[in-house]
DNA sequence: AGCACGCCGACT
DNA sequence: GTCGGCGTGCTC
């Protein structure tokens, strides 16, 4: 009919590239395409997977129209998910095609899993019986289908026995349904004993998860208050009514312990989703999430884009964690997108943290979010006794960075055969190297940062872009030999100092540049938990949810790092980090100590940490943000200009700034003030835009970018918008 | 984002 | 004389 009338059907398709709108494709007659279908379409010289979208085909030159190649045999992307893509695109000012691309990151999953060959017993008997054959028949007698290797393994016989029987027609081959990647969780499996406070909180969350309806609950509980047990009850409630659950975890690759705890509660592990998943497993999980077979996913931020068929709850664990923020391509904060996802899907969202973000606290205060406080500590977990070491009064000896007070405490801890953790959030040996003769400082040629000496690797490394070079012997400026001096400490240097004081102790350095990658790191963390180290010197990596039962001393080497770096979130971040780190001690209930080296013990962050009075800190910080119109009151955004050549990026950034609409509402900071960095081979400039009134910063940025000269060639412009309240 | 087309340097 | 660098422009 279409052919006769000359009007074949046209449908928009979102293709995985930075297109501002879906492209139009012709639908071949009889092809079952509907909005949401995942389709294969020609795009330029190649074939890509795209998502059939809503609306009519648009007005495209009919000569350009090409036909959809095929529809994948795959559950369609739901309308809910398509609205989610559109919303994220508008909110983040990213092309919808790039957002859609995040949904299509498991290409192999669009085709059904090829069925496994299985064997089932027939009525035929073998010509001769042997003990091996007897065993195989015994196992297969129940009529279940077995895989060839599975049966051989279970019967303890070789594959040739099975093959022999199959050849004689004793087994017939059948198609096995795809194996589930994870066993289904049982909400009744390991119901925990909850304290009164926990039980009350759990009941509240259970109620919300047990019916339809959007809500956001901030689960705010001190370290060791048992937040996880509490939100597991919400998970159980959602599972009981047949809903799928997503638990977002920052950096899941390192948190094996979480999967174990989940197993203890639900009798099986959740599907885990993160970037270094093996492709095959990735595809199976994607597919089975879409088909509803996987009930619970624990994953990194990208799990938000899995095609759940019936999602009924999202938990964002450690909701304050900066790892939730994606800072390339599409700039988004998964915590906020999770809230919006719940809003669109009409189900509850739980944000859990011992140190909530200021944004979430403000949202709770204003009544947009519910807030549950777990104040009492659970079972035998005790917080350490915290003390500040005033570095002006108890300074380190010359050439060192550890106060005698801290060194003494380490010694005492060693004597008790317990573990110490020294925390310093700085990788490498020394953050700055300079020439004693001419004052030359080693700086990254591409960025605005100093080169950090890594003595173990014998390199100077830029922590921004990874630029590195061997440590030279002579100053490149004045040529003087052997007069380069390392300034300030990194973890390697602290370990060296510790070795000097305690040569017999087993000291280990933990940081992200540990040789051997994530796997090695996981092993080392386990070894430490088993007591195979006395002193651990680590970066923020040690702050994340690991339990070290024998750790009874935590020393913060330089608590002031990051307090004065100009970041509007500096105080918040420091507070969160120090809370997390000091919470590593005393998890076994043993008496433990936290010593915090600082030059400003009167600083509100230090006082909050030492006194344990976080309420005072939050009140103060929220008032401060409001006064200076910083997020979440005023709005902050960055325009990121990137190019292969530094000059190009700089030039375009300048042009953009000139294009900024004159306004008393917004202030733009130009290239001169914007730190330059090199990421993935591209020089990036950030233009900061600060909204001091309730202006729509998105509209402003849109106008600014539209007015400015169009970037040519390899120059790209992206926008990073800070979270706001969007409910 | 990918990919091809296009125009300038060192090589089988 | 060709292979290959990445600059530029396009994709329904």
């Amino acid at each position: 009919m279409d052919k006769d009338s000359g009007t074949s059907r046209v449908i928009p398709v979102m293709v995985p590239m930075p297109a501002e709108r879906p492209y139009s494709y012709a639908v071949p007659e009889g092809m079952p395409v509907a909005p949401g279908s995942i389709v294969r379409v020609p795009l330029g010289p190649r074939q890509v997977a795209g998502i059939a979208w809503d609306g009519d085909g648009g007005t495209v030159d009919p000569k350009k129209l090409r036909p959809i190649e095929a529809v994948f045999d795959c559950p369609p992307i739901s309308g809910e998910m398509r609205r989610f893509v559109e919303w994220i695109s508008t909110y983040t000012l990213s092309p919808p095609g790039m957002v859609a691309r995040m949904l299509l990151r498991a290409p192999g999953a669009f085709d059904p899993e090829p069925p496994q060959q299985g064997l089932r017993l027939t009525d035929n008997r073998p010509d001769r019986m042997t003990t091996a054959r007897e065993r195989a028949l015994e196992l297969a007698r129940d009529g279940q289908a077995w895989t060839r290797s599975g049966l051989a393994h279970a019967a303890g016989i070789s594959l040739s026995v099975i093959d022999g029987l199959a050849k004689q027609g004793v087994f017939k081959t059948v198609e096995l349904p795809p194996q589930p990647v994870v066993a289904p969780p049982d909400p009744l499996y390991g119901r925990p004993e909850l304290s009164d406070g926990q039980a009350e909180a759990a009941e509240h969350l259970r109620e919300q998860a047990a019916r339809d309806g959007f809500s956001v609950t901030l689960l705010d509980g001190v370290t060791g208050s048992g937040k996880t047990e509490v939100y597991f009850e919400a998970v159980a409630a959602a599972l009981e009514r047949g809903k799928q659950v997503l638990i977002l975890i920052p950096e899941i690759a390192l948190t094996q312990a979480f999967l174990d705890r989940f197993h203890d509660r639900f009798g099986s592990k959740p599907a885990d989703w993160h970037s270094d998943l093996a492709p095959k497993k990735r595809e199976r999980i994607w597919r089975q999430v879409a088909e509803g077979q996987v009930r619970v996913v624990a994953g990194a931020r990208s799990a938000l884009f899995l095609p759940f068929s019936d999602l009924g709850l999202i938990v964002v664990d450690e909701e304050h964690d900066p790892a939730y923020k994606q800072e390339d391509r599409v700039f988004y904060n998964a915590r906020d997108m999770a809230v919006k996802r719940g809003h669109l899907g009409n189900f509850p969202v739980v944000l859990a943290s011992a140190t909530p973000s200021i944004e979430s606290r403000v949202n709770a205060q204003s009544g947009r979010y519910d807030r549950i406080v777990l104040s009492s500590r659970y079972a035998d977990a005790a917080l350490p006794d915290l003390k500040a070491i005033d570095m002006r009064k108890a300074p380190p000896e010359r050439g060192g960075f550890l106060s005698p007070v801290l060194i003494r405490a380490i010694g005492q801890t060693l004597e008790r055969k317990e573990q110490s953790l020294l925390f310093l959030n700085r990788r490498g040996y020394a953050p700055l190297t300079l020439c004693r003769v001419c004052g030359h400082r080693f700086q990254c040629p591409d960025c605005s940062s100093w080169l950090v000496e890594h003595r173990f690797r014998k390199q100077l490394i830029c922590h921004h872009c990874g630029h590195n070079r061997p440590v030279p012997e002579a100053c490149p400026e004045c040529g003087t030999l052997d007069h380069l001096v390392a300034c300030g400490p990194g973890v390697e240097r602290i370990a060296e100092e510790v070795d000097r004081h305690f040569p017999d102790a087993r000291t280990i350095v933990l940081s992200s540049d540990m040789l051997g990658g994530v796997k090695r790191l996981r092993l080392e963390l386990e070894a430490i938990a088993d007591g195979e180290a006395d002193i651990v010197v680590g970066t923020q990596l040690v702050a994340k949810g690991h339990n070290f039962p024998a750790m009874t001393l935590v020393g913060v080497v330089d608590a002031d790092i990051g307090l004065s770096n100009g970041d509007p979130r500096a105080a918040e971040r420091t507070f969160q980090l120090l809370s997390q780190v000091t919470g590593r001690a005393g998890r076994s209930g043993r008496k433990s100590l936290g010593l915090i080296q600082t030059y400003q013990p009167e600083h509100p962050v230090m006082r909050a940490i030492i006194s344990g009075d976080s309420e005072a800190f939050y009140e103060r910080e929220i008032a401060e943000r409001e006064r200076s119109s910083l997020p979440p009151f005023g709005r902050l955004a960055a325009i990121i200009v990137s190019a292969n050549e530094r000059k190009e990026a700089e030039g375009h950034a300048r042009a953009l700034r000139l294009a900024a609409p004159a306004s008393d509402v917004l202030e733009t900071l130009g290239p001169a003030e914007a730190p330059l960095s090199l990421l993935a081979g591209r020089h990036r400039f950030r233009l900061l835009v600060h909204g001091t009134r309730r202006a729509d910063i998105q509209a402003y940025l849109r106008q600014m970018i539209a007015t400015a000269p169009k970037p040519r060639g390899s120059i790209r412009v992206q926008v990073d918008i800070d979270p706001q309240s969007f409910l």
Side-chain angles (χ1 to χ4, degrees), chain A residues 607-623:
Chain A
R607 289 181 24 189
I609 293 292
I610 302 299
S611 68
D613 184 2
S614 55
E615 283 310 301
F617 169 75
Y618 278 103
E619 262 171 46
R620 201 196 149 95
E621 182 65 20
I622 288 170

Side-chain angles (χ1 to χ4, degrees), chain A residues 229-542:
Chain A
E229 284 77 9
V230 170
Y231 73 62
F232 275 174
E233 294 314 295
V235 173
L239 289 175
E240 277 162 18
R241 63 189 289 248
K243 293 289 183 179
Q244 289 171 299
V245 176
L246 168 62
I247 304 174
L248 291 179
I249 315 262
E251 288 158 54
I252 180 119
L254 274 179
T255 47
Q256 189 63 33
F258 174 83
L259 302 180
D260 296 338
R261 285 174 82 180
F262 187 93
H263 189 284
D264 290 344
R265 173 61 184 84
F266 295 101
S268 70
K269 289 197 175 168
D272 58 328
W273 181 266
H274 50 88
S275 55
D276 43 37
L277 217 53
K280 193 85 196 121
K281 188 167 178 207
R282 196 182 181 75
E283 287 159 12
R284 294 183 66 203
I285 293 176
W286 195 97
R287 181 86 193 182
Q288 293 185 15
V289 166
E291 286 170 348
Q293 210 175 148
V294 165
R295 306 311 297 171
V296 181
V297 175
R301 56 175 187 252
S302 58
L304 208 45
F305 299 99
L306 284 168
F308 290 92
S309 58
D310 193 13
L311 189 57
L313 172 71
I314 301 180
V315 177
V316 185
D317 200 1
E318 307 293 355
E319 64 91 20
H320 64 278
D321 199 297
Y324 283 124
K325 197 163 179 220
Q326 171 148 90
E327 297 195 278
D328 60 315
R329 299 184 175 97
V330 180
F331 291 66
Y332 68 91
N333 187 315
R335 177 235 297 147
D336 300 316
M337 301 306 110
V339 169
K340 188 61 192 181
R341 179 77 182 81
H343 192 216
L344 289 169
N346 198 35
F347 58 75
V349 177
V350 176
L351 308 179
S353 175
T355 53
S357 59
I358 299 293
E359 280 82 2
S360 295
R361 279 297 299 266
V362 168
N363 280 327
Q365 228 167 55
S366 67
R368 272 188 291 261
Y369 297 175
D370 294 336
R371 176 172 175 227
I372 300 181
V373 181
L374 291 174
S375 48
S376 56
R377 264 161 262 131
Y378 177 68
D380 55 359
L383 283 184
D385 189 14
L386 296 173
K387 291 198 177 75
I389 299 176
D390 186 339
M391 295 302 273
R392 295 163 305 189
K393 293 184 184 146
E397 58 184 62
R398 222 182 127 62
F401 300 92
L402 302 175
S403 164
V405 181
L406 181 52
I407 292 169
R408 210 175 309 130
I410 298 171
Q412 288 162 356
T413 308
L414 275 174
E415 277 168 27
R416 289 198 305 271
K417 307 239 182 291
E418 293 171 344
Q419 291 175 310
S420 303
L421 171 66
L422 297 186
F423 168 74
L424 176 66
N425 202 12
R426 201 183 272 136
R427 292 155 50 209
Y429 185 84
L432 170 66
T433 306
L434 56 79
C435 170
R436 218 189 321 235
V437 175
C438 71
H440 173 78
R441 298 165 165 216
F442 285 82
Q443 192 172 17
C444 176
D446 300 317
C447 300
S448 324
S449 57
W450 304 128
L451 292 177
V452 180
E453 180 183 354
H454 284 239
R455 195 156 281 193
F456 190 70
R457 286 203 263 177
K458 300 186 174 67
Q459 280 181 325
L460 294 174
I461 300 177
C462 170
H463 283 183
H464 237 116
C465 66
H467 170 92
N468 63 80
R469 58 170 75 158
V471 182
E473 283 166 21
C475 171
E477 195 71 25
C478 66
T480 317
L481 277 166
D482 297 329
H483 275 269
L484 300 178
V485 47
C487 297
V491 276
E492 291 180 11
R493 198 171 192 179
I494 295 302
E496 185 183 272
E497 188 174 347
V498 166
D499 263 335
R500 220 165 38 232
H501 287 283
F502 307 104
D504 297 329
R506 297 164 301 170
T507 302
I508 182 169
V509 177
L510 281 189
S511 81
S512 56
D513 30 37
M514 165 88 94
L515 260 53
V518 171
K519 208 173 162 189
R520 163 94 187 280
L521 218 42
R522 221 178 303 174
L523 289 174
E524 295 290 350
L525 287 167
E526 261 171 53
I528 294 165
D530 288 343
E532 289 173 28
D534 301 311
I535 303 169
V536 180
V537 184
T539 60
Q540 60 172 341
L541 188 135
V542 298

Side-chain angles (χ1 to χ4, degrees), chain A residues 641-642 652 656 705 708-717:
Chain A
V641 182
S642 68
H652 197 78
L656 268 174
I705 291 170
K710 277 224 182 305
R712 325 212 103 263
S714 67
I715 302 176
R716 243 171 293 173
V717 175

